[in-house]
Amino acid sequence: MLTSLYYSQSCYAAENLSLRGTLIEPPECTINNDVPIIVDFGPAVGISKVDGNNYKQKIKFRFIACGPSPEEIKWKTYMKLTGNGVTWDNRAVKTDNDNLAILIYHDGIPFELDESTFIASAGYVVLAAVPIKKVGAKLTEGAFS
């Protein structure tokens, strides 16, 4: 009986509790002024030199957060890389060549496809793209995208 009296009193005390808050939606953002970003590896990617380091290209673009200013709300910004992956490396984006894929790096670390990565703030973001080949595969000459 003492136990039920104790629980009855704690339920009664909970009626004096009031919770308040405001739901808000994160702001929209603009990447590269909505202009597609094209990475050109050039006309001379040597098929025997694709090793995950050679031909690395910087991708620099402007990231602008809209909505409330950072002083009003401390938003944490994340970027997610989505695309078709390859079965032989879960971080790589598929090209039209089955043995060739592209890794995208942020701060020296490859993006994981469909995983969010923290981006420090709005402004210029620098990524890197590098071609990789399937281990043991032989690349054939020709254009890729």
Side-chain angles (χ1 to χ4, degrees), residues 34-72:
D34 288 332
V35 175
I37 300 168
I38 298 172
V39 179
D40 188 351
F41 291 97
V45 176
I47 60 174
S48 62
K49 294 183 180 180
V50 172
D51 63 0
N53 291 308
N54 290 331
Y55 310 107
K56 189 177 283 189
Q57 298 290 317
K58 283 186 180 180
I59 308 169
K60 184 177 179 181
F61 58 89
R62 184 123 169 99
F63 170 76
I64 302 170
C66 303
S69 70
E71 293 78 31
E72 294 176 44

Side-chain angles (χ1 to χ4, degrees), residues 81-85 92-94 113-114:
L81 177 65
T82 59
N84 295 324
V93 179
K94 182 178 174 60
L113 284 178
D114 297 319

Side-chain angles (χ1 to χ4, degrees), residues 23-143:
L23 293 174
I24 56 174
E25 187 173 346
E28 294 289 322
C29 65
T30 302
I31 296 177
N32 204 41
N33 292 323
D34 288 332
V35 175
I37 300 168
I38 298 172
V39 179
D40 188 351
F41 291 97
V45 176
I47 60 174
S48 62
K49 294 183 180 180
V50 172
D51 63 0
N53 291 308
N54 290 331
Y55 310 107
K56 189 177 283 189
Q57 298 290 317
K58 283 186 180 180
I59 308 169
K60 184 177 179 181
F61 58 89
R62 184 123 169 99
F63 170 76
I64 302 170
C66 303
S69 70
E71 293 78 31
E72 294 176 44
I73 300 171
K74 300 294 182 190
W75 293 106
K76 289 186 178 178
T77 306
Y78 294 84
M79 181 178 287
K80 185 190 311 188
L81 177 65
T82 59
N84 295 324
V86 292
T87 57
W88 42 273
D89 190 324
N90 63 352
R91 306 163 303 167
V93 179
K94 182 178 174 60
T95 69
D96 56 359
N97 180 324
D98 290 337
N99 294 322
L100 182 72
I102 307 295
L103 283 179
I104 306 293
Y105 286 83
H106 177 255
D107 289 339
I109 300 170
F111 270 91
E112 298 282 338
L113 284 178
D114 297 319
E115 296 290 327
S116 296
T117 299
F118 178 70
I119 302 294
S121 63
Y124 283 100
V125 176
V126 179
L127 304 177
V130 65
I132 62 169
K133 70 176 183 176
K134 184 176 182 179
V135 175
K138 183 176 178 182
L139 296 175
T140 56
E141 192 174 311

